[in-house]
């Protein structure tokens, strides 16, 4: 981003790496070609490199982009001074002072340029012809030696014969100045005579109007200044460009927030087009806040423009990661994208990217609303899968195949086809839109699969199918006989007896159910007579103790007292048996094998 490149340029300038600084400012300009501050900063970098033509071009661009900014004219004046265009420099500084009369930098620059221009005019003639140094005339006049003596740094140079000879040579012929510019002492003198404070380049120097001749030697002069026991106090620097930019940045952010508020108001009024305009404007003013993108995505969602919503959400996530935004904001963008994907879903497969997006949102921030949307999407996907798989005709074919294998006693194959038949048509037989015949066949699928499970020894699975038969049609006798048979095999004789008896309520002459009742009673009586092995009795009692109903009976204080009376007070026990509820519970314990009646 432009701000990042600008920051790198500022850091490079502060370290005296002017070439690198200019390169970073160029990168920033490529990203933000209308930012006048970037041209201003690059102008300062070019001036520090003595590339005054480039510095002048950037200064002109600064003024062109923001003609009411006084700093641009400060840059323009400094570049003209570097090129020796003193008349243009004076005009530039004056223009800047018209905009900001109290700007000390402009005042100082104007004074220096006018002084240099006056000196040039006084020395015009033999020394003022073509090729004369624009700064040679500052070495003329008696005040030169007074200034050198008054300055603590240059006063020490006066003890050096070669320095005296160098100054005298320039006084005789100002064109000789270019011969000595590589000498840091000469640069210190030039800075002194131009009223410029020389110090190591800093960010403030970049942002301030520094005469270009001094910029390249600031780092060299710093050691000499540190040796001086009483260094000259530097003048107060003028406000930096970065402050101007920060001020503008705050203004843009404030304006962006106002646009956002307008967008929110329009959204509440259902004025979606206006809301989009305001959110878009906010994004243009401030690209550091992804809420403008997520808000615009919400508008697109309301308008049914789901593709646009998804694009904005993707941009918000990408930009949010670049800015290290709050995880909640990124999660919000992902959640909104998931919601848009759900709206676009037409088949079960279409829900997969939505579910994945919701899951990503939850890894960023576990929001209950996002979790709810994820669960709803997963449920919808599952229901669509079932609907897509639903085919009554194929279900009937699979049922017939299962019946064939059942007759052949190939129970694993029969289970496979019965299961496929149920998957192809899992609907409630009572609510089926098909004929009564098909409903009956549908019941037989569960009944026959229960029988297959029973033959295969998968009693819990068979019990579930038998109970499903009863659930679908409580008057279906076969469901009760299947369930009772499985409970009998599980040695839960009391439960099997209850199941058979319940079935007889719906078909009192059903021989299979009556036979089941008889077998259960015989087995219970056999247990009471003690005609079962201790191991079998112990196994029955252990299973019975797992039954919640048996546990409740045994934990009931009244029933515990009843059982004690049966052992210690037979007369009281007989009274207890007159209570129907107590009698029912005693019978339950007897049937379960917990107590025995001899």
């Amino acid at each position: 981003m432009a701000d990042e490149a600008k920051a790198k340029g500022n850091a490079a300038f502060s370290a005296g790496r002017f070439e690198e600084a200019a390169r970073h400012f160029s990168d920033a300009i490529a990203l933000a070609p209308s930012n006048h501050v970037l041209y201003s900063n690059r102008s300062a970098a070019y001036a520090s490199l003595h590339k005054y033509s480039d510095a002048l071009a950037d200064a002109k661009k600064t003024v062109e982009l923001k003609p009411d900014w006084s700093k641009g004219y400060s840059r323009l004046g400094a570049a003209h001074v570097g090129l020796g265009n003193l008349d243009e420099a004076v005009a530039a500084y004056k223009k800047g002072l018209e905009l900001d009369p109290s700007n000390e930098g402009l005042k100082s620059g104007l004074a220096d340029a006018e002084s240099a221009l006056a000196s040039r005019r006084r020395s015009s003639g033999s020394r003022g012809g073509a090729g004369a140094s624009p700064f040679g005339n500052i070495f003329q006049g008696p005040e030169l030696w007074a200034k050198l003596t008054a300055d603590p740094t240059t006063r020490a140079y006066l003890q050096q014969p070669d320095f005296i000879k160098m100054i005298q040579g320039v006084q005789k012929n100002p064109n000789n100045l270019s011969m000595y510019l590589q000498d840091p002492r000469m640069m210190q003198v030039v800075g002194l005579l131009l009223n410029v404070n020389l110090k190591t380049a800093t960010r403030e120097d970049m942002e301030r109007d520094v005469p270009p001749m001094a910029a390249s030697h600031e780092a060299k002069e710093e050691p000499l200044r540190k040796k001086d026991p009483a260094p000259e106090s530097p003048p107060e620097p003028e406000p930096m460009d970065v402050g101007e930019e920060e001020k503008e940045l705050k203004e843009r952010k404030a304006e962006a927030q106002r646009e956002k508020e307008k967008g929110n108001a329009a959204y509440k009024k259902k004025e979606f087009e206006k809301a989009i305009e305001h959110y878009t404007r906010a994004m243009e003013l401030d690209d550091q806040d992804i809420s403008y993108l997520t808000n615009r995505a919400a508008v697109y969602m309301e308008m049914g423009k789901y593709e646009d919503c998804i694009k904005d959400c993707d941009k918000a996530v990408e930009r949010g990661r670049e800015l290290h935004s709050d995880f909640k904001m990124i999660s919000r963008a992902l959640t909104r994208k998931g919601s848009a994907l759900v709206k676009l879903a037409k088949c079960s497969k279409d829900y997969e990217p939505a579910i994945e997006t919701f899951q990503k949102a939850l890894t960023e921030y576990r929001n209950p609303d996002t979790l709810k949307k994820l669960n709803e999407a997963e449920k919808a996907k599952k229901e669509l899968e079932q609907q897509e798989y639903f085919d009554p005709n194929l279900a009937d074919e699979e049922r017939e195949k299962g019946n064939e294998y059942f007759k052949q006693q190939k129970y694993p194959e029969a289970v496979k086809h019965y299961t496929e038949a149920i998957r192809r048509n899992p609907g409630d037989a009572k609510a089926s839109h098909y004929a009564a015949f098909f409903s009956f066949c549908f019941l037989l699928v569960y009944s026959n699969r229960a029988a297959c499970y029973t033959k295969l020894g998968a009693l819990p699975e068979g019990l579930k199918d038998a109970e499903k038969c009863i659930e679908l049609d409580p008057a279906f006798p076969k469901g009760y006989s299947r369930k009772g048979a499985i409970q009998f095999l599980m040695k839960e004789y009391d439960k099997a007896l209850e199941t058979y008896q319940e079935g007889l309520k719906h078909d009192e002459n059903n021989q299979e159910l009556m036979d089941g009742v008889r077998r259960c009673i015989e087995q219970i009586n056999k247990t009471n007579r003690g005609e079962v092995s201790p191991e079998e009795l112990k196994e029955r009692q252990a299973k019975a103790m797992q039954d919640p109903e048996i546990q409740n009976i045994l934990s009931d204080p009244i029933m515990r007292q009843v059982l004690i009376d049966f052992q210690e007070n037979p007369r009281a026990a007989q009274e207890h048996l007159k209570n129907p509820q107590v009698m029912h519970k005693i019978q339950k314990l007897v049937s379960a094998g917990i107590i025995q009646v001899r």
Side-chain angles (χ1 to χ4, degrees), residues 144-181:
L144 168 66
W145 299 103
K147 287 185 177 181
L148 294 178
T149 303
D151 183 77
T153 302
T154 57
R155 183 169 59 238
Y157 299 160
L158 295 176
Q159 306 298 323
Q160 302 170 12
D162 63 325
F163 176 75
I164 299 296
K165 184 177 180 181
M166 180 171 57
I167 296 299
Q168 291 173 343
V170 175
Q171 283 185 313
K172 291 179 181 179
N173 185 0
N175 290 328
N176 290 338
L177 176 61
S178 60
M179 298 169 54
Y180 304 116
L181 285 178

Side-chain angles (χ1 to χ4, degrees), residues 247-261 282 285-286 292:
K247 181 179 179 181
E248 292 182 9
L249 181 61
K250 289 181 179 179
E251 291 177 355
R252 289 200 301 272
K253 284 182 175 292
E255 180 62 23
Q257 283 297 320
R258 288 192 288 271
E259 290 291 339
K260 178 183 177 181
E261 291 171 4
L285 290 167
D286 179 15
Y292 309 136

Side-chain angles (χ1 to χ4, degrees), residues 73-128:
Y73 297 97
S74 178
R75 295 291 188 219
L76 189 61
H80 278 306
V81 169
L83 291 170
N85 305 328
L86 299 178
D87 290 315
E88 289 84 348
V90 169
Y93 285 127
K94 286 183 177 180
K95 178 62 176 177
L97 285 169
E98 290 178 8
L99 298 170
D100 188 2
S102 61
N103 190 301
E104 294 298 327
L106 288 168
K107 291 179 180 179
S108 176
L110 176 60
D112 291 339
E114 287 179 336
S115 176
L117 182 59
S119 297
R120 174 189 288 183
R121 289 170 178 169
R122 286 197 300 269
S123 61
S124 60
S126 61
R127 289 191 295 272

Side-chain angles (χ1 to χ4, degrees), residues 27-226:
D27 293 340
I29 288 171
L31 295 169
S34 60
N35 190 327
H36 60 282
V37 176
L38 298 176
Y39 289 99
S40 173
N41 287 359
R42 191 171 69 173
S43 177
Y46 281 145
S48 299
L49 294 167
H50 303 292
K51 297 181 178 180
Y52 302 117
S53 296
D54 293 332
L56 179 62
D58 275 354
K60 288 181 177 180
K61 185 65 175 178
T62 303
V63 172
E64 176 189 336
L65 290 173
K66 197 167 182 62
D68 58 345
W69 192 44
S70 61
K71 176 63 74 173
Y73 297 97
S74 178
R75 295 291 188 219
L76 189 61
H80 278 306
V81 169
L83 291 170
N85 305 328
L86 299 178
D87 290 315
E88 289 84 348
V90 169
Y93 285 127
K94 286 183 177 180
K95 178 62 176 177
L97 285 169
E98 290 178 8
L99 298 170
D100 188 2
S102 61
N103 190 301
E104 294 298 327
L106 288 168
K107 291 179 180 179
S108 176
L110 176 60
D112 291 339
E114 287 179 336
S115 176
L117 182 59
S119 297
R120 174 189 288 183
R121 289 170 178 169
R122 286 197 300 269
S123 61
S124 60
S126 61
R127 289 191 295 272
S133 169
F135 296 110
N137 48 37
I138 64 177
F139 288 84
Q140 310 304 317
E143 68 275 5
L144 168 66
W145 299 103
K147 287 185 177 181
L148 294 178
T149 303
D151 183 77
T153 302
T154 57
R155 183 169 59 238
Y157 299 160
L158 295 176
Q159 306 298 323
Q160 302 170 12
D162 63 325
F163 176 75
I164 299 296
K165 184 177 180 181
M166 180 171 57
I167 296 299
Q168 291 173 343
V170 175
Q171 283 185 313
K172 291 179 181 179
N173 185 0
N175 290 328
N176 290 338
L177 176 61
S178 60
M179 298 169 54
Y180 304 116
L181 285 178
Q182 298 303 317
D183 191 318
R185 296 173 298 176
M186 179 58 74
M187 291 304 303
Q188 184 70 16
V189 171
V190 171
L192 173 65
L193 297 179
L194 289 174
N195 294 320
V196 176
N197 176 51
L198 296 178
K199 57 190 177 92
T200 304
T202 64
R203 182 170 177 168
E204 285 81 1
D205 294 325
M206 178 195 70
E207 306 282 338
R208 192 174 66 241
D209 289 321
V210 178
M213 294 294 291
S216 63
H217 295 279
E218 289 173 346
K220 296 180 181 179
E221 287 300 314
E222 183 61 22
L224 296 175
R225 292 182 62 81
K226 288 183 179 179

Side-chain angles (χ1 to χ4, degrees), residues 273-567:
E273 292 295 343
K274 287 186 178 180
I276 289 175
E277 290 178 8
H278 288 302
Y279 290 137
T280 302
R281 175 60 179 158
M283 290 160 48
E284 293 171 352
L285 290 167
D286 179 15
D287 65 347
Q288 306 294 308
D289 189 341
I290 65 173
S291 68
Y292 309 136
L293 275 167
T294 57
N295 282 12
R296 191 172 72 174
V299 179
Y300 282 135
M301 174 77 80
E302 288 293 328
M303 297 175 70
K305 296 182 178 181
Y306 304 121
E307 295 291 349
D308 292 331
C309 174
I310 292 170
K311 289 178 182 178
D312 270 4
C313 290
D314 286 338
K315 290 178 184 177
V317 172
E318 181 181 358
R319 184 65 177 139
R321 297 198 191 285
E322 292 175 359
L323 298 171
H324 303 289
S325 299
D326 188 353
F327 294 136
K328 292 181 181 180
M329 293 296 297
I330 296 177
S331 176
R332 182 182 302 172
L334 288 169
T335 300
R336 194 150 287 161
K337 176 184 177 181
S339 298
L341 289 169
V342 167
K343 293 290 186 180
L344 291 172
K346 295 180 179 178
C347 64
S348 60
K349 285 286 184 181
D350 292 341
Y351 277 91
E352 293 178 0
I355 291 171
E356 182 182 357
T357 303
F358 286 135
Q359 290 171 341
K360 288 181 179 179
L362 288 171
T363 61
E364 296 289 342
Y365 176 67
R366 196 162 184 83
N367 186 302
D369 181 60
T370 304
L371 182 59
K372 180 182 177 182
K373 290 179 182 293
L374 171 62
N375 293 335
E376 290 174 350
E378 290 176 336
K379 181 181 178 181
K381 178 177 181 290
K382 184 176 180 180
E383 290 176 353
L384 266 181
E385 285 176 340
Q386 291 177 347
Q387 292 176 14
E388 291 165 358
Y389 205 73
F390 178 82
D391 191 329
N393 294 327
L394 287 178
D396 196 48
E397 291 178 11
E398 293 294 331
R399 180 183 61 80
E400 291 295 338
K401 291 178 182 178
N403 291 341
E404 290 297 323
Y405 283 113
F406 183 81
K407 293 175 183 177
Q408 298 174 23
Q409 298 183 359
K410 295 181 180 180
Y411 302 118
E413 292 83 355
V415 167
K416 176 182 176 182
H417 289 289
Y418 285 142
T419 301
E420 183 64 17
I422 292 171
R423 288 184 62 197
R424 289 290 182 181
N425 184 14
D428 190 325
K430 293 183 297 181
S432 175
H433 295 291
Y434 301 96
F437 173 76
F438 181 80
S439 298
F440 179 73
C441 294
F442 186 76
L443 276 173
L444 289 179
V445 171
Y446 280 105
S447 176
N448 289 356
R449 192 172 70 168
C452 291
Y453 280 136
T454 303
K455 295 292 185 180
L456 293 170
L459 301 182
E461 289 79 5
L463 183 61
K464 289 180 182 178
D465 275 0
E467 289 176 340
K468 184 67 175 179
C469 288
I470 297 172
E471 176 190 338
L472 294 174
D473 186 359
F476 184 52
K478 198 67 174 178
Y480 294 100
S481 62
R482 296 288 191 208
K483 181 179 179 181
I486 293 171
Q487 289 171 326
F488 189 90
L489 290 173
M490 296 172 75
K491 297 183 180 180
E492 296 177 351
Y493 304 123
D494 56 322
K495 291 183 178 180
L497 179 60
E498 291 179 359
T499 300
Y500 287 130
Q501 289 174 340
E502 185 66 25
L504 286 171
K505 292 179 182 179
H506 300 283
D507 186 0
E508 59 184 15
N509 297 318
N510 188 288
Q511 189 62 45
E512 190 174 6
L513 293 174
M514 289 190 290
D515 289 343
V517 170
R518 180 180 51 77
R519 289 196 307 271
C520 289
I521 293 175
E522 288 178 355
Q523 191 63 39
I524 291 171
N525 290 337
K526 185 177 179 182
T527 302
N528 291 334
R529 292 193 300 268
E531 297 177 3
V532 296
S533 65
E535 293 78 9
E536 185 178 353
L537 179 61
K538 187 175 180 180
E539 180 184 355
R540 277 195 62 198
Q541 290 175 341
K543 283 189 175 182
M545 291 300 295
Q546 296 176 4
D547 187 341
E549 186 178 357
I550 298 295
Q551 293 174 3
N552 290 334
I553 293 173
L554 294 177
S555 63
D556 185 350
I558 297 176
M559 287 303 301
R560 290 171 65 181
Q561 183 61 47
V562 170
L563 294 176
I564 292 173
D565 288 343
F566 264 102
Q567 293 179 338

